[in-house]
Amino acid sequence: MITRLRLDAALYEPAPPRKPGQMGRPRVKGKRLPTLEEVLKNPKTNEEVRAHLGFETQRQWSDLAIARSTPSILGLFSLVTLMAHQLAKDGKLPVRQDAWYQKPLPTF
């Protein structure tokens, strides 16, 4: 997760939907989520991007360059994924095929 939030920020799920006939002010927050610091300490957190997206170790010289490139790469991946989702929903997403390699679904 790329964010500018503090590590001790209080995070919550979205508010649950209102039940019919429920009186009083509607809820603003849902269930409390773990803090970013707790998520960061989880050993599975750093491997998710590498395992799921094939994200490799950055090879820049400075920490500042890594801090710039990693969010850019994840943002680009998100943008391409959203565009592909929209094209697939409209039925306009082409899947390139070769004679020796048939793909049923597009890949990134």
Side-chain angles (χ1 to χ4, degrees):
M1 178 185 312
I2 306 298
T3 180
R4 290 185 168 261
L5 295 175
R6 293 172 41 136
L7 290 177
D8 62 348
L11 304 173
Y12 296 89
E13 288 183 353
R18 236 179 127 96
K19 296 178 184 173
Q22 185 177 2
M23 302 294 288
R25 183 173 179 233
R27 291 193 55 184
V28 178
K29 300 185 249 183
K31 187 179 122 185
R32 176 88 188 250
L33 297 173
T35 64
L36 294 176
E37 190 170 22
E38 293 168 353
V39 172
L40 185 61
K41 289 180 183 176
N42 184 348
K44 291 185 177 182
T45 300
N46 297 326
E47 284 297 317
E48 286 181 12
V49 172
R50 287 180 186 222
H52 186 67
L53 302 179
F55 206 77
E56 297 295 329
T57 303
Q58 300 295 309
R59 290 182 172 83
Q60 281 85 11
W61 288 99
S62 70
D63 290 337
L64 185 58
I66 293 171
R68 282 191 307 256
S69 64
T70 302
S72 300
I73 292 169
L74 290 173
L76 178 62
F77 176 81
S78 300
L79 181 64
V80 169
T81 303
L82 290 171
M83 291 168 60
H85 177 72
Q86 186 65 39
L87 288 172
K89 190 168 63 171
D90 296 341
K92 298 177 183 175
L93 184 63
V95 178
R96 289 190 175 179
Q97 300 288 339
D98 289 322
W100 62 88
Y101 183 65
Q102 296 293 322
K103 292 192 297 186
L105 298 172
T107 57
F108 189 79

